[in-house]
Amino acid sequence: GEADASCNGRCQRKVRRFVDSREFEVFMCILIITNTIYFGVEAEYAAQAQSTEVPEAFKDISLAYTLAFLVELVLRMYGYGWRFFCA
């Protein structure tokens, strides 16, 4: 009921403050930069190995980055609600 809506609103505001925090923004920037470096490393490996076969470690690292960016997206969508799509 009303208590749930109030709690949900408080939770949304907390998540919004979290994703808008400088620390979160810096962390996400670091993830973007390291992901870009990782793309370069993976491309260099593929060029040197002359193979389309990707080692499991590369797959695992790619999955970790994908999950991290997915968590960011979900947090931002929850924190901003429908405004996330309109801004």
Side-chain angles (χ1 to χ4, degrees):
E2 191 174 315
D4 290 338
S6 175
C7 177
N8 189 41
R10 282 195 308 270
C11 291
Q12 259 187 313
R13 284 191 298 277
K14 285 182 181 181
V15 169
R16 189 174 32 229
R17 276 196 304 272
F18 173 69
V19 298
D20 286 342
S21 70
R22 180 154 179 82
E23 293 83 1
F24 186 78
E25 292 291 335
V26 167
F27 178 74
M28 292 312 301
C29 285
I30 290 169
L31 270 183
I32 291 168
I33 291 167
T34 59
N35 190 34
T36 303
I37 293 168
Y38 164 73
F39 281 144
V41 169
E42 187 177 10
E44 181 64 23
Y45 174 84
Q48 293 294 324
Q50 295 182 347
S51 170
T52 58
E53 190 66 28
V54 178
E56 280 300 311
F58 282 159
K59 292 178 184 177
D60 294 341
I61 293 169
S62 290
L63 179 61
Y65 277 112
T66 300
L67 291 175
F69 292 127
L70 176 64
V71 168
E72 177 202 14
L73 178 64
V74 169
L75 287 172
R76 289 187 187 277
M77 287 173 63
Y78 176 74
Y80 281 95
W82 287 109
R83 289 179 292 168
F84 177 80
F85 296 101
C86 300

Coordinates of all heavy atoms in Angstrom, one line a residue:
G1 N 0.8 -1.2 0.0 CA 0.0 0.0 0.0 C 0.8 1.3 0.0 O 1.8 1.3 -0.7
E2 N 0.4 2.2 0.8 CA 1.0 3.5 0.8 C 2.4 3.4 1.4 O 3.3 4.1 1.0 CB 0.1 4.5 1.6 CG 0.6 5.9 1.5 CD -0.4 6.9 2.2 OE1 -1.6 6.7 2.0 OE2 0.1 7.7 3.0
A3 N 2.6 2.5 2.4 CA 3.9 2.4 3.1 C 4.9 1.8 2.1 O 6.0 2.2 2.0 CB 3.8 1.5 4.3
D4 N 4.4 0.9 1.2 CA 5.3 0.3 0.2 C 5.7 1.4 -0.8 O 6.9 1.4 -1.2 CB 4.6 -0.8 -0.5 CG 4.4 -2.1 0.3 OD1 5.2 -2.2 1.3 OD2 3.6 -2.9 0.0
A5 N 4.8 2.2 -1.2 CA 5.1 3.3 -2.2 C 6.1 4.3 -1.6 O 7.0 4.7 -2.2 CB 3.8 4.0 -2.6
S6 N 5.9 4.6 -0.3 CA 6.8 5.5 0.4 C 8.2 4.9 0.5 O 9.2 5.5 0.2 CB 6.3 5.8 1.8 OG 7.2 6.6 2.5
C7 N 8.3 3.6 0.8 CA 9.6 2.9 0.9 C 10.2 2.8 -0.5 O 11.4 3.1 -0.6 CB 9.4 1.5 1.5 SG 10.9 0.5 1.5
N8 N 9.4 2.5 -1.5 CA 10.0 2.5 -2.8 C 10.5 3.8 -3.3 O 11.6 3.9 -3.9 CB 8.9 2.0 -3.8 CG 9.4 1.7 -5.2 OD1 10.5 1.1 -5.3 ND2 8.7 2.1 -6.2
G9 N 9.8 4.9 -2.9 CA 10.3 6.2 -3.3 C 11.6 6.6 -2.6 O 12.5 7.1 -3.2
R10 N 11.7 6.2 -1.3 CA 13.0 6.4 -0.6 C 14.1 5.6 -1.2 O 15.2 6.1 -1.3 CB 12.8 6.0 0.9 CG 12.1 7.1 1.7 CD 12.3 6.9 3.2 NE 11.9 5.5 3.6 CZ 10.7 5.1 4.0 NH1 9.7 6.0 4.0 NH2 10.5 3.8 4.4
C11 N 13.8 4.3 -1.5 CA 14.8 3.5 -2.1 C 15.3 4.1 -3.5 O 16.5 4.1 -3.8 CB 14.3 2.1 -2.3 SG 14.1 1.2 -0.8
Q12 N 14.3 4.5 -4.3 CA 14.7 5.1 -5.6 C 15.6 6.3 -5.4 O 16.5 6.5 -6.1 CB 13.4 5.5 -6.3 CG 13.0 4.6 -7.4 CD 11.8 5.1 -8.2 OE1 10.9 5.6 -7.6 NE2 12.0 5.0 -9.5
R13 N 15.2 7.2 -4.4 CA 16.1 8.4 -4.2 C 17.5 8.0 -3.7 O 18.5 8.6 -4.2 CB 15.4 9.3 -3.1 CG 14.2 10.1 -3.7 CD 13.8 11.2 -2.7 NE 13.3 10.6 -1.5 CZ 12.0 10.2 -1.3 NH1 11.2 10.1 -2.3 NH2 11.7 9.7 -0.1
K14 N 17.6 7.0 -2.9 CA 18.9 6.5 -2.4 C 19.7 6.0 -3.6 O 20.9 6.3 -3.7 CB 18.8 5.5 -1.4 CG 18.4 6.0 0.0 CD 18.3 4.9 1.0 CE 17.9 5.5 2.3 NZ 17.8 4.5 3.4
V15 N 19.1 5.2 -4.5 CA 19.8 4.7 -5.6 C 20.2 5.8 -6.6 O 21.3 5.8 -7.1 CB 18.9 3.6 -6.4 CG1 19.5 3.2 -7.7 CG2 18.8 2.4 -5.5
R16 N 19.3 6.8 -6.8 CA 19.6 7.9 -7.6 C 20.8 8.7 -7.1 O 21.7 9.1 -7.9 CB 18.4 8.8 -7.8 CG 18.5 9.9 -8.8 CD 17.3 10.7 -9.1 NE 16.4 10.8 -7.9 CZ 15.1 10.5 -7.8 NH1 14.5 10.1 -8.9 NH2 14.5 10.6 -6.7
R17 N 20.8 8.9 -5.8 CA 21.9 9.6 -5.2 C 23.2 8.9 -5.4 O 24.3 9.4 -5.6 CB 21.7 9.9 -3.7 CG 20.9 11.2 -3.4 CD 21.0 11.6 -2.0 NE 20.6 10.6 -1.0 CZ 19.4 10.4 -0.6 NH1 18.4 11.1 -1.0 NH2 19.1 9.4 0.3
F18 N 23.1 7.5 -5.2 CA 24.3 6.7 -5.4 C 24.8 6.7 -6.8 O 26.0 7.0 -7.0 CB 23.9 5.2 -5.0 CG 25.0 4.2 -5.3 CD1 26.2 4.2 -4.6 CD2 24.9 3.3 -6.4 CE1 27.2 3.3 -4.9 CE2 25.9 2.4 -6.6 CZ 27.1 2.4 -5.9
V19 N 24.0 6.6 -7.8 CA 24.5 6.6 -9.2 C 24.9 8.0 -9.7 O 25.7 8.1 -10.6 CB 23.4 6.0 -10.2 CG1 23.2 4.6 -9.9 CG2 22.2 6.8 -10.3
D20 N 24.4 9.0 -9.0 CA 24.8 10.4 -9.3 C 26.1 10.8 -8.5 O 26.6 11.9 -8.7 CB 23.7 11.4 -9.0 CG 22.6 11.3 -10.1 OD1 22.9 10.8 -11.1 OD2 21.5 11.8 -9.8
S21 N 26.5 10.0 -7.6 CA 27.7 10.3 -6.8 C 29.0 10.4 -7.6 O 29.1 9.7 -8.6 CB 27.9 9.3 -5.6 OG 28.3 8.1 -6.1
R22 N 29.9 11.2 -7.2 CA 31.2 11.4 -7.8 C 31.9 10.0 -7.8 O 32.5 9.7 -8.8 CB 32.0 12.5 -7.2 CG 33.3 12.7 -7.8 CD 33.8 14.1 -7.6 NE 35.1 14.3 -8.1 CZ 35.4 14.5 -9.4 NH1 34.3 14.6 -10.2 NH2 36.6 14.7 -9.9
E23 N 31.8 9.3 -6.7 CA 32.6 8.1 -6.6 C 32.1 7.0 -7.6 O 32.9 6.3 -8.3 CB 32.4 7.5 -5.2 CG 33.1 8.3 -4.1 CD 32.3 9.5 -3.6 OE1 31.1 9.7 -4.1 OE2 32.8 10.2 -2.8
F24 N 30.7 7.0 -7.8 CA 30.2 6.0 -8.8 C 30.6 6.4 -10.2 O 30.9 5.6 -11.0 CB 28.6 6.0 -8.6 CG 28.0 4.9 -9.5 CD1 28.0 3.6 -9.1 CD2 27.4 5.3 -10.7 CE1 27.5 2.6 -10.0 CE2 26.8 4.3 -11.5 CZ 26.8 3.0 -11.1
E25 N 30.5 7.7 -10.5 CA 30.9 8.2 -11.8 C 32.3 7.9 -12.1 O 32.7 7.5 -13.2 CB 30.6 9.7 -11.9 CG 29.1 10.1 -11.9 CD 28.4 9.7 -13.1 OE1 29.0 9.5 -14.2 OE2 27.2 9.5 -13.0
V26 N 33.2 8.1 -11.1 CA 34.6 7.8 -11.3 C 34.8 6.3 -11.5 O 35.6 5.9 -12.5 CB 35.5 8.3 -10.1 CG1 36.9 7.8 -10.2 CG2 35.5 9.9 -10.1
F27 N 34.2 5.5 -10.7 CA 34.3 4.1 -10.9 C 33.8 3.6 -12.3 O 34.5 2.8 -13.0 CB 33.4 3.4 -9.8 CG 33.5 1.9 -10.0 CD1 34.6 1.1 -9.6 CD2 32.3 1.2 -10.5 CE1 34.6 -0.2 -9.8 CE2 32.4 -0.2 -10.6 CZ 33.5 -0.9 -10.2
M28 N 32.7 4.2 -12.8 CA 32.2 3.8 -14.1 C 33.2 4.3 -15.2 O 33.4 3.6 -16.2 CB 30.8 4.4 -14.3 CG 29.8 3.7 -13.5 SD 29.8 1.9 -13.4 CE 29.6 1.4 -15.1
C29 N 33.8 5.5 -15.0 CA 34.8 6.0 -16.0 C 36.0 5.1 -16.0 O 36.5 4.8 -17.1 CB 35.2 7.4 -15.6 SG 34.0 8.7 -16.0
I30 N 36.4 4.6 -14.9 CA 37.5 3.7 -14.8 C 37.2 2.4 -15.5 O 38.0 1.8 -16.3 CB 38.0 3.4 -13.4 CG1 38.6 4.7 -12.8 CG2 38.9 2.2 -13.3 CD1 38.9 4.6 -11.3
L31 N 35.9 1.9 -15.3 CA 35.5 0.7 -16.0 C 35.5 0.9 -17.5 O 35.9 0.0 -18.3 CB 34.1 0.3 -15.6 CG 34.0 -0.7 -14.4 CD1 32.5 -1.0 -14.2 CD2 34.8 -1.9 -14.6
I32 N 35.0 2.0 -18.0 CA 35.0 2.3 -19.4 C 36.4 2.4 -20.0 O 36.7 1.8 -21.1 CB 34.2 3.6 -19.7 CG1 32.8 3.4 -19.4 CG2 34.5 4.1 -21.2 CD1 32.0 4.7 -19.4
I33 N 37.3 3.0 -19.3 CA 38.7 3.1 -19.8 C 39.4 1.8 -19.8 O 40.0 1.4 -20.8 CB 39.5 4.1 -18.9 CG1 39.0 5.5 -19.2 CG2 41.0 4.0 -19.2 CD1 39.4 6.6 -18.1
T34 N 39.2 1.0 -18.7 CA 39.9 -0.3 -18.7 C 39.2 -1.3 -19.7 O 39.9 -2.1 -20.3 CB 39.8 -1.0 -17.3 OG1 38.5 -1.1 -16.8 CG2 40.6 -0.1 -16.3
N35 N 37.9 -1.1 -19.9 CA 37.3 -1.9 -21.0 C 37.8 -1.6 -22.3 O 38.0 -2.5 -23.2 CB 35.8 -1.7 -20.9 CG 35.0 -2.7 -21.7 OD1 35.4 -3.9 -21.9 ND2 33.9 -2.3 -22.3
T36 N 38.1 -0.3 -22.6 CA 38.7 0.1 -23.9 C 40.1 -0.5 -24.0 O 40.4 -1.0 -25.1 CB 38.7 1.6 -24.0 OG1 37.4 2.1 -23.8 CG2 39.3 2.1 -25.3
I37 N 40.8 -0.5 -23.0 CA 42.2 -1.1 -23.0 C 42.1 -2.6 -23.3 O 42.8 -3.2 -24.1 CB 42.9 -0.8 -21.7 CG1 43.2 0.7 -21.6 CG2 44.2 -1.6 -21.6 CD1 43.7 1.2 -20.3
Y38 N 41.1 -3.2 -22.6 CA 40.9 -4.6 -22.7 C 40.6 -5.0 -24.2 O 41.1 -6.0 -24.7 CB 39.8 -5.1 -21.8 CG 39.3 -6.5 -22.2 CD1 40.1 -7.6 -21.9 CD2 38.1 -6.6 -22.8 CE1 39.6 -8.9 -22.3 CE2 37.6 -7.9 -23.2 CZ 38.4 -9.0 -22.9 OH 37.9 -10.2 -23.3
F39 N 39.7 -4.2 -24.8 CA 39.4 -4.4 -26.2 C 40.6 -4.4 -27.1 O 40.8 -5.2 -28.0 CB 38.4 -3.3 -26.8 CG 37.0 -3.5 -26.4 CD1 36.2 -2.4 -26.1 CD2 36.4 -4.8 -26.3 CE1 34.9 -2.6 -25.8 CE2 35.1 -5.0 -26.0 CZ 34.3 -3.8 -25.7
G40 N 41.5 -3.5 -26.8 CA 42.8 -3.4 -27.5 C 43.6 -4.6 -27.3 O 44.2 -5.2 -28.3
V41 N 43.7 -5.1 -26.1 CA 44.5 -6.3 -25.8 C 43.9 -7.5 -26.5 O 44.6 -8.3 -27.1 CB 44.5 -6.5 -24.2 CG1 45.1 -7.9 -23.9 CG2 45.4 -5.4 -23.5
E42 N 42.6 -7.6 -26.4 CA 41.9 -8.7 -27.1 C 42.2 -8.7 -28.6 O 42.4 -9.7 -29.2 CB 40.5 -8.7 -26.8 CG 39.7 -9.9 -27.3 CD 38.3 -9.9 -26.9 OE1 37.7 -8.9 -26.4 OE2 37.6 -11.0 -27.1
A43 N 42.1 -7.5 -29.2 CA 42.3 -7.4 -30.6 C 43.8 -7.7 -31.0 O 44.0 -8.4 -32.0 CB 42.0 -6.0 -31.1
E44 N 44.7 -7.3 -30.2 CA 46.1 -7.6 -30.4 C 46.3 -9.1 -30.3 O 47.1 -9.6 -31.1 CB 47.0 -6.8 -29.4 CG 48.5 -7.0 -29.6 CD 49.0 -6.5 -30.9 OE1 48.4 -5.6 -31.5 OE2 50.1 -7.0 -31.3
Y45 N 45.8 -9.7 -29.3 CA 45.9 -11.1 -29.2 C 45.4 -11.8 -30.4 O 46.0 -12.7 -31.0 CB 45.2 -11.6 -27.9 CG 45.2 -13.1 -27.8 CD1 46.3 -13.8 -27.3 CD2 44.1 -13.9 -28.4 CE1 46.3 -15.2 -27.2 CE2 44.2 -15.3 -28.3 CZ 45.2 -15.9 -27.8 OH 45.3 -17.3 -27.7
A46 N 44.2 -11.4 -30.9 CA 43.6 -12.1 -32.1 C 44.5 -11.9 -33.3 O 44.6 -12.8 -34.1 CB 42.2 -11.5 -32.3
A47 N 45.1 -10.7 -33.4 CA 45.9 -10.5 -34.6 C 47.2 -11.3 -34.5 O 47.6 -11.8 -35.5 CB 46.3 -9.0 -34.6
Q48 N 47.8 -11.4 -33.3 CA 49.0 -12.2 -33.2 C 48.8 -13.7 -33.3 O 49.6 -14.4 -33.9 CB 49.6 -11.9 -31.8 CG 50.2 -10.5 -31.6 CD 51.3 -10.2 -32.5 OE1 52.2 -11.0 -32.8 NE2 51.4 -8.9 -33.0
A49 N 47.6 -14.1 -32.7 CA 47.3 -15.6 -32.8 C 46.8 -16.0 -34.1 O 46.8 -17.2 -34.4 CB 46.3 -15.9 -31.7
Q50 N 46.4 -15.0 -34.9 CA 45.8 -15.3 -36.2 C 44.7 -16.4 -36.1 O 44.7 -17.3 -36.9 CB 46.8 -15.6 -37.2 CG 47.8 -14.5 -37.5 CD 48.8 -14.8 -38.6 OE1 49.0 -15.9 -39.0 NE2 49.5 -13.8 -39.0
S51 N 43.8 -16.2 -35.1 CA 42.8 -17.2 -34.9 C 41.5 -16.5 -34.5 O 41.5 -15.4 -33.9 CB 43.3 -18.1 -33.7 OG 42.2 -19.0 -33.3
T52 N 40.4 -17.1 -34.8 CA 39.1 -16.6 -34.3 C 38.7 -17.2 -33.0 O 37.7 -16.8 -32.4 CB 38.0 -16.9 -35.4 OG1 38.0 -18.3 -35.6 CG2 38.3 -16.2 -36.7
E53 N 39.5 -18.2 -32.5 CA 39.2 -18.8 -31.3 C 39.6 -17.9 -30.1 O 40.7 -17.4 -30.1 CB 40.0 -20.1 -31.1 CG 39.7 -21.0 -30.0 CD 38.3 -21.6 -30.1 OE1 37.8 -21.7 -31.2 OE2 37.6 -21.8 -29.1
V54 N 38.7 -17.7 -29.2 CA 38.9 -16.8 -28.1 C 39.2 -17.6 -26.8 O 38.3 -18.4 -26.5 CB 37.7 -15.8 -27.9 CG1 37.9 -14.9 -26.7 CG2 37.5 -15.0 -29.2
P55 N 40.3 -17.3 -26.1 CA 40.5 -18.0 -24.8 C 39.4 -17.8 -23.8 O 38.8 -16.7 -23.8 CB 41.8 -17.5 -24.3 CG 42.5 -16.9 -25.5 CD 41.4 -16.4 -26.4
E56 N 39.2 -18.8 -23.0 CA 38.1 -18.7 -21.9 C 38.3 -17.4 -21.1 O 37.3 -16.8 -20.7 CB 38.1 -19.9 -21.1 CG 37.4 -21.1 -21.7 CD 35.9 -20.8 -22.0 OE1 35.2 -20.3 -21.1 OE2 35.5 -21.1 -23.1
A57 N 39.5 -17.1 -20.7 CA 39.8 -15.9 -19.9 C 39.2 -14.6 -20.5 O 38.7 -13.8 -19.8 CB 41.3 -15.8 -19.6
F58 N 39.4 -14.5 -21.8 CA 38.8 -13.3 -22.5 C 37.3 -13.3 -22.4 O 36.7 -12.3 -22.2 CB 39.3 -13.3 -24.0 CG 40.7 -12.8 -24.2 CD1 41.3 -13.1 -25.4 CD2 41.3 -12.0 -23.3 CE1 42.6 -12.7 -25.6 CE2 42.6 -11.6 -23.5 CZ 43.3 -11.9 -24.6
K59 N 36.7 -14.5 -22.6 CA 35.2 -14.6 -22.5 C 34.8 -14.2 -21.1 O 33.8 -13.5 -20.9 CB 34.8 -16.0 -22.8 CG 35.0 -16.4 -24.2 CD 34.5 -17.8 -24.5 CE 34.8 -18.2 -25.9 NZ 34.5 -19.6 -26.2
D60 N 35.5 -14.7 -20.1 CA 35.2 -14.4 -18.7 C 35.3 -12.9 -18.4 O 34.4 -12.3 -17.7 CB 36.1 -15.2 -17.7 CG 35.8 -16.7 -17.8 OD1 34.7 -17.1 -18.3 OD2 36.7 -17.4 -17.3
I61 N 36.4 -12.3 -18.9 CA 36.6 -10.8 -18.7 C 35.5 -10.0 -19.4 O 34.9 -9.1 -18.8 CB 38.0 -10.4 -19.1 CG1 39.0 -11.0 -18.2 CG2 38.1 -8.9 -19.2 CD1 40.5 -10.9 -18.7
S62 N 35.1 -10.4 -20.6 CA 34.1 -9.7 -21.3 C 32.7 -9.9 -20.6 O 32.0 -8.9 -20.5 CB 33.9 -10.3 -22.7 OG 35.0 -10.0 -23.5
L63 N 32.5 -11.0 -20.0 CA 31.2 -11.2 -19.3 C 31.2 -10.3 -18.0 O 30.2 -9.7 -17.7 CB 31.1 -12.7 -18.9 CG 29.9 -13.1 -18.1 CD1 28.6 -12.7 -18.8 CD2 29.9 -14.5 -17.7
A64 N 32.4 -10.2 -17.4 CA 32.4 -9.4 -16.2 C 32.1 -7.9 -16.5 O 31.4 -7.3 -15.8 CB 33.8 -9.5 -15.5
Y65 N 32.7 -7.4 -17.6 CA 32.4 -6.0 -18.0 C 31.0 -5.9 -18.4 O 30.3 -4.9 -18.0 CB 33.3 -5.6 -19.2 CG 34.7 -5.1 -18.8 CD1 35.8 -5.9 -19.1 CD2 34.8 -3.9 -18.1 CE1 37.1 -5.4 -18.7 CE2 36.1 -3.5 -17.7 CZ 37.2 -4.2 -18.0 OH 38.5 -3.8 -17.7
T66 N 30.4 -6.9 -19.1 CA 29.0 -6.8 -19.5 C 28.1 -6.7 -18.3 O 27.2 -5.9 -18.2 CB 28.7 -8.0 -20.4 OG1 29.5 -8.0 -21.6 CG2 27.2 -8.0 -20.8
L67 N 28.4 -7.6 -17.3 CA 27.6 -7.6 -16.1 C 27.7 -6.3 -15.3 O 26.7 -5.8 -14.8 CB 27.9 -8.8 -15.2 CG 27.5 -10.2 -15.8 CD1 28.1 -11.3 -14.9 CD2 26.0 -10.3 -16.0
A68 N 28.9 -5.7 -15.3 CA 29.1 -4.5 -14.5 C 28.3 -3.4 -15.2 O 27.6 -2.6 -14.5 CB 30.6 -4.1 -14.5
F69 N 28.3 -3.3 -16.5 CA 27.6 -2.3 -17.2 C 26.0 -2.5 -17.2 O 25.3 -1.6 -17.1 CB 28.0 -2.1 -18.7 CG 29.4 -1.6 -18.8 CD1 30.4 -2.3 -19.5 CD2 29.8 -0.4 -18.2 CE1 31.7 -1.8 -19.6 CE2 31.1 0.1 -18.3 CZ 32.0 -0.6 -19.0
L70 N 25.7 -3.8 -17.1 CA 24.2 -4.1 -16.9 C 23.7 -3.6 -15.6 O 22.7 -3.1 -15.4 CB 24.0 -5.6 -17.1 CG 22.6 -6.1 -16.9 CD1 21.6 -5.5 -17.9 CD2 22.5 -7.6 -16.9
V71 N 24.5 -3.9 -14.5 CA 24.2 -3.4 -13.2 C 24.0 -1.9 -13.2 O 23.1 -1.4 -12.6 CB 25.2 -3.9 -12.1 CG1 25.0 -3.2 -10.8 CG2 25.1 -5.4 -12.0
E72 N 25.0 -1.2 -13.8 CA 24.9 0.2 -13.9 C 23.5 0.7 -14.5 O 22.8 1.5 -14.0 CB 26.0 0.9 -14.7 CG 25.9 2.4 -14.8 CD 26.7 3.0 -15.9 OE1 27.1 2.2 -16.8 OE2 26.8 4.2 -15.9
L73 N 23.2 0.0 -15.6 CA 22.0 0.4 -16.4 C 20.8 0.1 -15.5 O 19.9 1.0 -15.4 CB 21.9 -0.5 -17.7 CG 20.7 -0.3 -18.5 CD1 20.6 1.2 -19.0 CD2 20.7 -1.3 -19.7
V74 N 20.7 -1.0 -14.9 CA 19.6 -1.4 -14.0 C 19.4 -0.4 -12.9 O 18.3 0.1 -12.5 CB 19.6 -2.8 -13.5 CG1 18.6 -3.1 -12.4 CG2 19.5 -3.8 -14.7
L75 N 20.6 0.0 -12.2 CA 20.5 0.9 -11.1 C 20.0 2.3 -11.6 O 19.2 2.9 -10.9 CB 21.9 1.1 -10.5 CG 22.4 -0.1 -9.6 CD1 23.8 0.1 -9.2 CD2 21.5 -0.2 -8.4
R76 N 20.5 2.8 -12.7 CA 20.1 4.1 -13.3 C 18.6 4.0 -13.6 O 17.8 5.0 -13.4 CB 20.9 4.5 -14.4 CG 22.3 4.9 -14.0 CD 23.1 5.5 -15.2 NE 24.5 5.7 -14.9 CZ 24.9 6.8 -14.2 NH1 24.1 7.7 -13.9 NH2 26.2 6.9 -13.9
M77 N 18.2 2.9 -14.3 CA 16.7 2.8 -14.6 C 15.9 2.8 -13.4 O 14.8 3.4 -13.4 CB 16.5 1.5 -15.5 CG 17.1 1.6 -16.9 SD 17.0 0.1 -17.8 CE 15.2 -0.2 -17.8
Y78 N 16.3 2.1 -12.4 CA 15.5 2.1 -11.1 C 15.5 3.4 -10.4 O 14.5 3.9 -10.0 CB 16.0 1.0 -10.2 CG 15.3 1.0 -8.9 CD1 14.0 0.5 -8.8 CD2 15.8 1.5 -7.7 CE1 13.3 0.6 -7.6 CE2 15.2 1.6 -6.5 CZ 13.9 1.1 -6.5 OH 13.2 1.1 -5.3
G79 N 16.7 4.0 -10.3 CA 16.8 5.3 -9.7 C 16.0 6.4 -10.3 O 15.4 7.3 -9.7
Y80 N 16.0 6.4 -11.6 CA 15.3 7.5 -12.4 C 13.9 7.1 -12.9 O 13.2 8.0 -13.3 CB 16.2 8.0 -13.6 CG 17.3 8.9 -13.1 CD1 18.5 8.4 -12.9 CD2 17.1 10.2 -12.9 CE1 19.6 9.2 -12.4 CE2 18.1 11.0 -12.5 CZ 19.3 10.5 -12.2 OH 20.3 11.3 -11.8
G81 N 13.6 5.9 -12.9 CA 12.2 5.5 -13.4 C 12.1 5.8 -14.8 O 13.0 5.8 -15.6
W82 N 10.9 6.2 -15.2 CA 10.6 6.5 -16.6 C 11.4 7.7 -17.1 O 11.6 7.9 -18.3 CB 9.1 6.8 -16.8 CG 8.3 5.5 -16.7 CD1 7.5 5.1 -15.7 CD2 8.3 4.4 -17.7 NE1 7.0 3.9 -16.0 CE2 7.5 3.4 -17.2 CE3 9.0 4.2 -18.9 CZ2 7.3 2.2 -17.8 CZ3 8.8 3.0 -19.5 CH2 7.9 2.1 -19.0
R83 N 11.8 8.6 -16.2 CA 12.6 9.8 -16.6 C 13.9 9.3 -17.3 O 14.5 10.1 -18.0 CB 12.9 10.7 -15.4 CG 11.7 11.4 -14.9 CD 12.0 12.2 -13.7 NE 12.3 11.3 -12.6 CZ 12.9 11.7 -11.5 NH1 13.2 12.9 -11.3 NH2 13.1 10.8 -10.5
F84 N 14.4 8.2 -16.9 CA 15.6 7.7 -17.5 C 15.5 7.6 -19.0 O 16.5 7.9 -19.7 CB 15.9 6.2 -17.0 CG 17.1 5.6 -17.6 CD1 18.4 6.0 -17.1 CD2 17.0 4.7 -18.6 CE1 19.5 5.4 -17.7 CE2 18.2 4.1 -19.2 CZ 19.4 4.5 -18.7
F85 N 14.3 7.3 -19.6 CA 14.2 7.2 -21.0 C 13.8 8.5 -21.7 O 13.9 8.6 -22.9 CB 13.0 6.2 -21.3 CG 13.4 4.8 -20.8 CD1 12.8 4.3 -19.6 CD2 14.2 4.0 -21.6 CE1 13.1 3.0 -19.2 CE2 14.5 2.7 -21.1 CZ 14.0 2.2 -20.0
C86 N 13.5 9.5 -20.9 CA 13.0 10.8 -21.5 C 14.1 11.8 -21.4 O 14.0 12.9 -22.1 CB 11.8 11.3 -20.7 SG 10.4 10.1 -20.8
A87 N 15.1 11.6 -20.7 CA 16.2 12.7 -20.5 C 17.2 12.6 -21.6 O 17.4 11.7 -22.2 CB 16.8 12.6 -19.1

